[in-house]
Amino acid sequence: MCAPPPGAVRKHGEITVGAGGDGIERIEARFSEKAFSPHRHDSYAIGVTLAGVQSFRYRGEQRHCLPGQCLILHPDELHDGEPGTENGFRYRIVYIDPALVQQALDGSSLPFVADPVLRTPGIGAALLADALDMEDAVDELRRVDIGTGLARMLRAASGTERSGTALLDLPALLRVREQIAADPAGRHSTAALERLSGLDRWTLARQFRAAFGTSPSRFRTMRQLDRARRLMVAGTPLAEAALEAGFADQSHLSRQFKRAYGMTPARWRAALERKAA
């Protein structure tokens, strides 16, 4: 996850990037045509449709999120996005790192919300006002407040406010996560991660997904993409950004980028630059 600088709000064409913080990224976007091809990301995506109908396919079903309704997507779940009518749609969304949710849950498995659209009138405004405030800088206290509030919301929406799931070895999992995040372009062997965590590779894989919603390998890829996005925003050519982020070449970056964000790097950068020109 590539969070904007705290306190900064940047407008780029169809997409406005709000003030963010470590593990928190806020976006407001407007689309009048196909928005995203099928993709998945390693964060929770929690948002509200502001105008129009937001239609998307999720877990084998076509879904529709109307104005004022809340959208919750679990990490690593495949989904797309398009307008449900010819008028397009506009939405505001917060991407929150599962590790931040984990800190609030104290080691329990991540909540899974089976129905991604919460239809209770006003539920988005009531539960997400702080998290979706694009202008509000995210210092450490606000970060804890947002993480705790969203974790509570996710548990309530999933029906697991009192989870009986066995606790995970969170300190060991965080060591692995931090090692990968520190050098995502490196190749971390399973043997090295076993030594670091004290867990065998199968237990590590199961617990990592339960804790953070994705596999260690995909977590590494997403951190590579974070680096590539930062380089692209700074004006680095795509081929150079791909190599610096640890991808084999530009085509490798493009494939992974579209798989993660539902659009090519060129389209993503064009959306950021459209109004800046």
Side-chain angles (χ1 to χ4, degrees):
M1 182 179 302
C2 180
V9 176
R10 294 174 287 153
K11 294 185 179 180
H12 307 281
E14 299 169 319
I15 300 171
T16 299
V17 181
D22 186 16
I24 296 171
E25 184 173 7
R26 294 155 164 160
I27 297 290
E28 183 174 319
R30 179 195 304 270
F31 293 100
S32 58
E33 54 187 25
K34 180 74 175 182
F36 305 109
S37 59
H39 67 287
R40 55 194 179 124
H41 35 72
D42 65 347
S43 59
Y44 276 106
I46 307 173
V48 173
T49 300
L50 301 176
V53 178
Q54 185 173 182
S55 297
F56 59 100
R57 191 159 185 84
Y58 184 80
R59 295 179 66 82
E61 294 184 32
Q62 189 70 19
R63 317 280 186 159
H64 305 282
C65 189
L66 306 180
Q69 292 183 342
C70 179
L71 171 76
I72 299 177
L73 303 179
H74 194 270
D76 231 21
E77 287 290 343
L78 190 70
H79 60 282
D80 59 9
E82 63 184 0
T85 71
E86 62 183 11
N87 296 322
F89 68 98
R90 183 166 61 95
Y91 66 98
R92 186 173 290 185
I93 198 161
V94 57
Y95 298 96
I96 183 164
D97 190 332
L100 183 54
V101 176
Q102 266 294 329
Q103 291 173 1
L105 295 176
D106 195 26
S108 297
S109 294
L110 292 175
F112 180 79
V113 181
D115 188 343
V117 178
L118 300 183
R119 297 175 174 83
T120 304
I123 192 168
L127 296 178
L128 295 179
D130 289 343
L132 293 176
D133 186 344
M134 301 277 284
E135 305 286 343
D136 187 24
V138 182
D139 60 16
E140 188 58 28
L141 289 177
R142 297 290 300 120
R143 179 175 178 270
V144 172
D145 286 346
I146 290 171
T148 302
L150 291 182
R152 186 168 59 249
M153 171 188 174
L154 289 166
R155 270 192 166 175
S158 68
T160 57
E161 292 187 84
R162 293 186 176 274
S163 174
T165 305
L167 294 182
L168 306 173
D169 191 346
L170 192 56
L173 299 173
L174 286 171
R175 288 196 299 273
V176 171
R177 191 178 190 275
E178 290 164 4
Q179 176 77 6
I180 295 172
D183 182 22
R187 295 296 162 184
H188 306 277
S189 70
T190 53
L193 295 180
E194 284 178 324
R195 290 193 297 271
L196 179 64
S197 66
L199 303 172
D200 69 82
R201 64 192 62 187
W202 307 111
T203 301
L204 174 59
R206 287 193 299 270
Q207 289 203 15
F208 195 99
R209 180 173 288 277
F212 306 122
T214 195
S215 67
S217 175
R218 180 150 178 80
F219 176 77
R220 182 192 64 206
T221 298
M222 294 302 295
R223 302 291 72 75
Q224 289 177 267
L225 289 171
D226 284 347
R227 184 174 183 184
R229 287 198 298 166
R230 289 192 294 269
L231 290 166
M232 289 162 58
V233 167
T236 305
L238 287 179
E240 185 179 337
L243 295 178
E244 287 195 34
F247 294 101
D249 51 30
Q250 183 176 332
S251 63
H252 185 202
L253 165 62
S254 295
R255 290 194 303 273
Q256 293 296 335
F257 198 100
K258 187 171 183 179
R259 187 177 300 170
Y261 307 121
M263 61 176 68
T264 65
R267 184 185 173 198
W268 180 81
R269 186 153 62 182
L272 294 180
E273 294 173 348
R274 187 163 294 133
K275 281 194 175 179

